[in-house]
Amino acid sequence: MSAYDDLMARERETQALAQVAGRLGWDQETMMPRGAADQRAEESGAMQAVLHARRVDPARGDVLAEAEGQATEPVARAQLRHIRRDYERAVKVPGDLAVALARLTSRAQGQWAEARAADDYAAFAPVLAEVVRLKREEAAALSAGGTLYDALLEDYEPGMSAAKLDAMFAEMRPRLVALRGAALAVEWPRLEGRFDRDVQLALSQELAQVFGYDLSRGRLDLAVHPFSSGSGDDVRITTRVSEVDPFNCFYSTIHEVGHACYEQGIDPAYRLTPLGQGVSMGVHESQSRIYENQLGRSRAFCGWLYGRMRDGFGDFGIADEETFYRAVNRVHRGYIRTEADEVQYNLHVMLRYDLERALIAGDLSVADLEAAWNDRFAADFGYAVDRASHGVLQDVHWSVGLFGYFPTYSLGNLYAGCLFEALQAAVPGLDAQLARGKLAEATVWLRGAVQRHGGLFEPAEVIARACGAAPTAGPLLDYLDRKFGDLAG
């Protein structure tokens, strides 16, 4: 057996164990009894200890170095690139810190959910302060004297930096703010009434399959905060139901299906290897956002969805397809990032990005976070946060230590804008297909252009190869100006 074959056999075992650890997280969000939280924290810590030991094993480094001297084939070189990056990051983090973070974030997640339900930030603040402390320790170990935030960002978007993000947001903000002002000056229709929970879930199952999700290799369940989990032949998604807002359920489902289809669409030859998962969270988010927005909220697809909702709910007070399309894309005042319209969504992300950078830099204390959030929200959106679950407690990310994750949502939107421009050129009859609820040609193109590659290329290269040019914010901003300029008249 060559050094490369030996290394890959070890990596497949590690990847399999990581999938088991991920399943513990899925279960905690969906099925786990509330009383099991402390035991689950111990289980998560034990799994993290095993994984960390495998990742920092000196024998792994020795075999990796030998394999690097032998491998010449492009796929093998790409596998080794990922293993080298993972190994060098893993050996910088002390094992006891990795285990402590796994135990703490498992416990913090449950405390966040309880505090969110009670609108009580003070109840969550102590455990969040401990999470921030440990993440700062981790960032210091990873950064080798560099920027703490950039060290954490590398986990989600390799090659990205706060400086690049600052430039991206500086380009996006003025046009988004101007478009928001114009759009909020217009009256938008909205759904009213109650929408049966079971009908919503049945239509969500149908939507998942329409967008290409293979339910023989997946599940659709309920969670407080919708998410996707797993890869290969076991990719699970969740959604949530509001009887007064079925769009929350439907578009959360479509969004998570975008993530899941990415994982299901990766070349099976890469399964349980470093290439067998999405290359970055920005590229991952490009799939969920193009599924949800450019495809799912398009005028053509809204016409099809309007018919299916009338089949399921009867007359629900929207008289025609065009009014329904405007209701789906309604630009409105609101607090919740996941419920934000396309125009304002990235402004929500910018708020979180700035606050979490300040937390990691030590410029903002957890004790002052809620006030800082409320002040920034009022300045950015023009009205006050009314309760903690609509503000600082609305997202799960910080409770589970995902510092550096939020900006990848906006990167995903930027990438999706570029991909949609290329998709329209590649599929000239796209609108006619969407109007019939036919997504196959669009999703097959995305699978071939992006999803099948998994981690073969670096993030920006994936988008550049699919689009024929390096990604920029222009296509997204132009798409939003056209769509909402038209909708706002």
Side-chain angles (χ1 to χ4, degrees), residues 281-310:
M281 289 316 304
V283 177
H284 235 302
E285 197 66 17
S286 77
Q287 301 306 284
S288 61
R289 297 299 282 179
I290 197 172
Y291 276 50
E292 176 190 356
N293 293 327
Q294 282 91 342
L295 298 176
R297 297 183 193 272
S298 66
R299 177 179 270 111
F301 186 75
C302 282
W304 179 85
L305 181 59
Y306 176 67
R308 295 300 296 120
M309 284 187 63
R310 286 183 65 88

Side-chain angles (χ1 to χ4, degrees), residues 31 120 334 466:
M31 304 285 186
D120 185 1

